[in-house]
């Protein structure tokens, strides 16, 4: 794949028009081989000057050590700014305060505060914080304790938003109320769950603004190149399926054809969100850079120059 065009990196926007935000999601590797693949992806993503990369964190702290290890290495061995996922399901206040303190000490300056998925298997205790808004408040509490360490600054706190109804929510309107509560608790921005139709993002933003939500709402998109992933997202997250796209992917003759179809569908979705006023794009990578960079290349998202004049390498 050819690198992103030079014009996308070198032509700056007018002073009054900032670069659209760009970020990626990564998850901690489960093996040595997976770690090697992940770091190849990280080196590729570095060359696109993302504003940050989010690092997932398993429910109830199931992969705390590997997540913290990845965050630490991103801070020490890369130019990327990590946004640490944090979930409150099944965790005590003390545990979460200690973890936020650990992250601050590590050098993390951004947290994505999530309620977390309800575990399939019963757990001992539901945890002290039932909602993501409670977790946002806890993060701000931990932040106040470390004001000196943060040079009187603040952590950037993100939260989740849902372009379609959360599978455990009674209604879309309830999701909007939850987003408003998270803003009131101290959230700085929101990233959406994956969605398949442009009007879903537009509906979310319109409803949120009417309700009083004024924080940035960043559309989260994934390269729509896998029928299996589309099916799994529709099943687990209750997202309305784009059956036309699924049928086109299923009918494709080979992986290259599926990738071309899926990348273009993702680009169209991202462009529609940007045209609707989205402040940027968050790409769910599944720790694979090729399709994500294909999307970015075709999207022609303006990016600031890479520090040091680095260029992507194969």
């Amino acid at each position: 794949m050819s690198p992103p065009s030079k014009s996308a990196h070198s032509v700056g926007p007018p002073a009054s028009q900032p670069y659209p935000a760009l970020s990626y999601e990564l998850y901690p590797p489960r093996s040595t081989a997976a770690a090697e693949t992940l770091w190849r992806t990280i080196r590729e993503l570095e060359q696109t000057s993302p504003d940050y990369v989010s690092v997932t964190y398993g429910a109830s702290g199931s992969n705390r050590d590997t997540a913290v290890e990845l965050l630490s290495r991103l801070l020490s061995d890369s130019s990327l700014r990590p946004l640490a996922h944090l979930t409150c399901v099944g965790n005590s206040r003390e545990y979460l305060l200690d973890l936020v303190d650990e992250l601050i000490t590590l050098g993390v300056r951004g947290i994505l505060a999530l309620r977390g998925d309800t575990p399939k298997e019963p757990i001992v205790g539901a945890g002290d914080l039932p909602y993501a808004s409670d977790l946002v408040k806890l993060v701000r509490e931990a932040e106040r304790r470390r004001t000196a360490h943060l040079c009187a600054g603040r952590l950037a706190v993100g939260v989740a938003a849902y372009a379609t109804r959360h599978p455990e929510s009674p209604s879309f309107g309830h999701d909007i109320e939850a987003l408003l509560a998270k803003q009131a608790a101290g959230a700085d921005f929101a990233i959406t769950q994956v969605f398949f139709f442009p009007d879903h993002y537009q509906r979310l933003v319109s409803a949120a603004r009417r309700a009083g939500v004024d924080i940035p709402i960043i559309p989260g998109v994934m390269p729509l190149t896998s029928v299996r992933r589309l099916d799994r997202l529709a099943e687990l997250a209750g997202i309305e399926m784009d059956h036309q796209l699924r049928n086109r992917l299923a009918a494709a003759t080979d992986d290259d054809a599926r990738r071309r179809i899926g990348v273009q569908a993702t680009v169209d979705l991202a462009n529609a969100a940007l045209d609707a006023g989205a402040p940027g794009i968050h790409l769910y990578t599944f720790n694979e850079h090729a399709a994500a960079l294909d999307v970015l290349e075709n999207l022609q998202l303006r990016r600031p120059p890479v520090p040091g004049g680095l260029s992507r390498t194969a």
Side-chain angles (χ1 to χ4, degrees), residues 12 17 19 27 74 138 175 179 191 222 224 257 259 288 302:
Q17 184 179 358
Y19 291 100
Y27 56 83
L74 283 169
L138 179 139
D175 290 339
L179 182 57
I191 300 173
M222 74 170 190
L224 303 169
R259 183 158 149 181
E288 299 168 1
R302 296 188 318 275

PDB file of all heavy atoms in Angstrom, residues 12 17 19 27 74 138 175 179 191 222 224 257 259 288 302:
ATOM      1  N   GLY A  12      -1.514  22.664   5.558  1.00  0.00           N
ATOM      2  CA  GLY A  12      -2.179  22.953   6.821  1.00  0.00           C
ATOM      3  C   GLY A  12      -3.501  23.662   6.608  1.00  0.00           C
ATOM      4  O   GLY A  12      -3.708  24.329   5.589  1.00  0.00           O
ATOM      5  N   GLN A  17      -9.263  26.991  11.450  1.00  0.00           N
ATOM      6  CA  GLN A  17      -9.809  25.652  11.237  1.00  0.00           C
ATOM      7  C   GLN A  17      -8.787  24.613  11.672  1.00  0.00           C
ATOM      8  O   GLN A  17      -7.841  24.331  10.946  1.00  0.00           O
ATOM      9  CB  GLN A  17     -10.178  25.464   9.765  1.00  0.00           C
ATOM     10  CG  GLN A  17     -10.853  24.133   9.476  1.00  0.00           C
ATOM     11  CD  GLN A  17     -11.224  24.005   8.010  1.00  0.00           C
ATOM     12  OE1 GLN A  17     -11.008  24.921   7.227  1.00  0.00           O
ATOM     13  NE2 GLN A  17     -11.765  22.879   7.633  1.00  0.00           N
ATOM     14  N   TYR A  19      -6.865  21.029  12.684  1.00  0.00           N
ATOM     15  CA  TYR A  19      -6.846  19.705  12.088  1.00  0.00           C
ATOM     16  C   TYR A  19      -7.924  18.843  12.742  1.00  0.00           C
ATOM     17  O   TYR A  19      -8.105  18.893  13.962  1.00  0.00           O
ATOM     18  CB  TYR A  19      -5.492  19.033  12.318  1.00  0.00           C
ATOM     19  CG  TYR A  19      -4.339  19.636  11.559  1.00  0.00           C
ATOM     20  CD1 TYR A  19      -3.451  20.503  12.178  1.00  0.00           C
ATOM     21  CD2 TYR A  19      -4.142  19.332  10.214  1.00  0.00           C
ATOM     22  CE1 TYR A  19      -2.387  21.053  11.483  1.00  0.00           C
ATOM     23  CE2 TYR A  19      -3.083  19.878   9.516  1.00  0.00           C
ATOM     24  CZ  TYR A  19      -2.208  20.731  10.147  1.00  0.00           C
ATOM     25  OH  TYR A  19      -1.153  21.275   9.450  1.00  0.00           O
ATOM     26  N   TYR A  27      -5.474  -2.873  21.682  1.00  0.00           N
ATOM     27  CA  TYR A  27      -5.714  -3.679  22.881  1.00  0.00           C
ATOM     28  C   TYR A  27      -4.461  -4.457  23.239  1.00  0.00           C
ATOM     29  O   TYR A  27      -3.628  -4.752  22.371  1.00  0.00           O
ATOM     30  CB  TYR A  27      -6.912  -4.606  22.701  1.00  0.00           C
ATOM     31  CG  TYR A  27      -6.861  -5.555  21.523  1.00  0.00           C
ATOM     32  CD1 TYR A  27      -6.176  -6.770  21.593  1.00  0.00           C
ATOM     33  CD2 TYR A  27      -7.518  -5.251  20.339  1.00  0.00           C
ATOM     34  CE1 TYR A  27      -6.138  -7.636  20.525  1.00  0.00           C
ATOM     35  CE2 TYR A  27      -7.495  -6.115  19.254  1.00  0.00           C
ATOM     36  CZ  TYR A  27      -6.796  -7.316  19.351  1.00  0.00           C
ATOM     37  OH  TYR A  27      -6.755  -8.169  18.279  1.00  0.00           O
ATOM     38  N   LEU A  74       4.281   2.419  25.565  1.00  0.00           N
ATOM     39  CA  LEU A  74       3.890   3.486  24.635  1.00  0.00           C
ATOM     40  C   LEU A  74       4.495   4.812  25.070  1.00  0.00           C
ATOM     41  O   LEU A  74       4.955   5.610  24.244  1.00  0.00           O
ATOM     42  CB  LEU A  74       2.372   3.598  24.578  1.00  0.00           C
ATOM     43  CG  LEU A  74       1.630   2.545  23.764  1.00  0.00           C
ATOM     44  CD1 LEU A  74       0.124   2.635  24.023  1.00  0.00           C
ATOM     45  CD2 LEU A  74       1.923   2.690  22.271  1.00  0.00           C
ATOM     46  N   LEU A 138     -14.996   9.801  40.146  1.00  0.00           N
ATOM     47  CA  LEU A 138     -13.867   9.227  40.876  1.00  0.00           C
ATOM     48  C   LEU A 138     -12.543   9.657  40.248  1.00  0.00           C
ATOM     49  O   LEU A 138     -11.582   9.968  40.964  1.00  0.00           O
ATOM     50  CB  LEU A 138     -13.983   7.708  40.911  1.00  0.00           C
ATOM     51  CG  LEU A 138     -12.856   6.965  41.632  1.00  0.00           C
ATOM     52  CD1 LEU A 138     -13.399   5.817  42.480  1.00  0.00           C
ATOM     53  CD2 LEU A 138     -11.837   6.421  40.630  1.00  0.00           C
ATOM     54  N   ASP A 175     -30.035   6.781  26.834  1.00  0.00           N
ATOM     55  CA  ASP A 175     -28.611   6.900  26.528  1.00  0.00           C
ATOM     56  C   ASP A 175     -28.180   8.367  26.486  1.00  0.00           C
ATOM     57  O   ASP A 175     -27.076   8.713  26.928  1.00  0.00           O
ATOM     58  CB  ASP A 175     -28.300   6.244  25.182  1.00  0.00           C
ATOM     59  CG  ASP A 175     -28.419   4.734  25.224  1.00  0.00           C
ATOM     60  OD1 ASP A 175     -28.350   4.152  26.319  1.00  0.00           O
ATOM     61  OD2 ASP A 175     -28.579   4.128  24.142  1.00  0.00           O
ATOM     62  N   LEU A 179     -25.395  10.240  28.806  1.00  0.00           N
ATOM     63  CA  LEU A 179     -24.293  11.049  28.278  1.00  0.00           C
ATOM     64  C   LEU A 179     -24.278  12.417  28.941  1.00  0.00           C
ATOM     65  O   LEU A 179     -23.212  12.940  29.284  1.00  0.00           O
ATOM     66  CB  LEU A 179     -24.433  11.176  26.760  1.00  0.00           C
ATOM     67  CG  LEU A 179     -23.331  11.970  26.034  1.00  0.00           C
ATOM     68  CD1 LEU A 179     -21.958  11.380  26.314  1.00  0.00           C
ATOM     69  CD2 LEU A 179     -23.614  12.000  24.530  1.00  0.00           C
ATOM     70  N   ILE A 191     -16.595   9.317  22.705  1.00  0.00           N
ATOM     71  CA  ILE A 191     -16.308   8.539  21.500  1.00  0.00           C
ATOM     72  C   ILE A 191     -17.462   7.572  21.307  1.00  0.00           C
ATOM     73  O   ILE A 191     -17.874   6.894  22.255  1.00  0.00           O
ATOM     74  CB  ILE A 191     -14.993   7.746  21.626  1.00  0.00           C
ATOM     75  CG1 ILE A 191     -13.818   8.695  21.867  1.00  0.00           C
ATOM     76  CG2 ILE A 191     -14.750   6.897  20.382  1.00  0.00           C
ATOM     77  CD1 ILE A 191     -12.504   7.976  22.160  1.00  0.00           C
ATOM     78  N   MET A 222     -14.867   1.515  12.358  1.00  0.00           N
ATOM     79  CA  MET A 222     -13.905   0.442  12.150  1.00  0.00           C
ATOM     80  C   MET A 222     -13.872   0.106  10.661  1.00  0.00           C
ATOM     81  O   MET A 222     -14.868   0.308   9.952  1.00  0.00           O
ATOM     82  CB  MET A 222     -14.282  -0.801  12.950  1.00  0.00           C
ATOM     83  CG  MET A 222     -15.449  -1.577  12.395  1.00  0.00           C
ATOM     84  SD  MET A 222     -15.654  -3.173  13.218  1.00  0.00           S
ATOM     85  CE  MET A 222     -16.876  -3.932  12.133  1.00  0.00           C
ATOM     86  N   LEU A 224     -14.715  -1.738   7.758  1.00  0.00           N
ATOM     87  CA  LEU A 224     -15.830  -2.682   7.609  1.00  0.00           C
ATOM     88  C   LEU A 224     -15.489  -3.743   6.572  1.00  0.00           C
ATOM     89  O   LEU A 224     -16.146  -3.873   5.536  1.00  0.00           O
ATOM     90  CB  LEU A 224     -17.094  -1.922   7.225  1.00  0.00           C
ATOM     91  CG  LEU A 224     -17.515  -0.817   8.201  1.00  0.00           C
ATOM     92  CD1 LEU A 224     -18.620   0.050   7.608  1.00  0.00           C
ATOM     93  CD2 LEU A 224     -17.958  -1.416   9.523  1.00  0.00           C
ATOM     94  N   ALA A 257     -10.862  -7.952  -2.661  1.00  0.00           N
ATOM     95  CA  ALA A 257     -12.121  -7.323  -3.058  1.00  0.00           C
ATOM     96  C   ALA A 257     -12.922  -6.915  -1.827  1.00  0.00           C
ATOM     97  O   ALA A 257     -13.503  -5.817  -1.779  1.00  0.00           O
ATOM     98  CB  ALA A 257     -12.933  -8.276  -3.927  1.00  0.00           C
ATOM     99  N   ARG A 259     -11.721  -6.153   1.047  1.00  0.00           N
ATOM    100  CA  ARG A 259     -11.043  -5.015   1.674  1.00  0.00           C
ATOM    101  C   ARG A 259     -11.375  -3.713   0.944  1.00  0.00           C
ATOM    102  O   ARG A 259     -11.636  -2.692   1.584  1.00  0.00           O
ATOM    103  CB  ARG A 259      -9.533  -5.266   1.678  1.00  0.00           C
ATOM    104  CG  ARG A 259      -8.731  -4.179   2.373  1.00  0.00           C
ATOM    105  CD  ARG A 259      -7.396  -4.728   2.796  1.00  0.00           C
ATOM    106  NE  ARG A 259      -6.367  -3.717   2.781  1.00  0.00           N
ATOM    107  CZ  ARG A 259      -5.101  -3.954   3.103  1.00  0.00           C
ATOM    108  NH1 ARG A 259      -4.734  -5.175   3.428  1.00  0.00           N
ATOM    109  NH2 ARG A 259      -4.214  -2.998   3.080  1.00  0.00           N
ATOM    110  N   GLU A 288      -4.562  -4.076  13.863  1.00  0.00           N
ATOM    111  CA  GLU A 288      -4.105  -4.310  12.497  1.00  0.00           C
ATOM    112  C   GLU A 288      -4.062  -2.956  11.786  1.00  0.00           C
ATOM    113  O   GLU A 288      -5.060  -2.244  11.728  1.00  0.00           O
ATOM    114  CB  GLU A 288      -5.060  -5.260  11.763  1.00  0.00           C
ATOM    115  CG  GLU A 288      -5.155  -6.633  12.422  1.00  0.00           C
ATOM    116  CD  GLU A 288      -6.305  -7.459  11.865  1.00  0.00           C
ATOM    117  OE1 GLU A 288      -7.009  -6.970  10.953  1.00  0.00           O
ATOM    118  OE2 GLU A 288      -6.500  -8.581  12.353  1.00  0.00           O
ATOM    119  N   ARG A 302      -6.681  15.721   6.854  1.00  0.00           N
ATOM    120  CA  ARG A 302      -5.525  16.595   7.038  1.00  0.00           C
ATOM    121  C   ARG A 302      -4.839  16.259   8.354  1.00  0.00           C
ATOM    122  O   ARG A 302      -5.484  16.160   9.388  1.00  0.00           O
ATOM    123  CB  ARG A 302      -5.943  18.069   7.051  1.00  0.00           C
ATOM    124  CG  ARG A 302      -6.533  18.578   5.761  1.00  0.00           C
ATOM    125  CD  ARG A 302      -6.737  20.092   5.823  1.00  0.00           C
ATOM    126  NE  ARG A 302      -7.270  20.523   7.107  1.00  0.00           N
ATOM    127  CZ  ARG A 302      -8.570  20.525   7.407  1.00  0.00           C
ATOM    128  NH1 ARG A 302      -9.452  20.097   6.535  1.00  0.00           N
ATOM    129  NH2 ARG A 302      -8.982  20.959   8.593  1.00  0.00           N
TER     130      ARG A 302
END
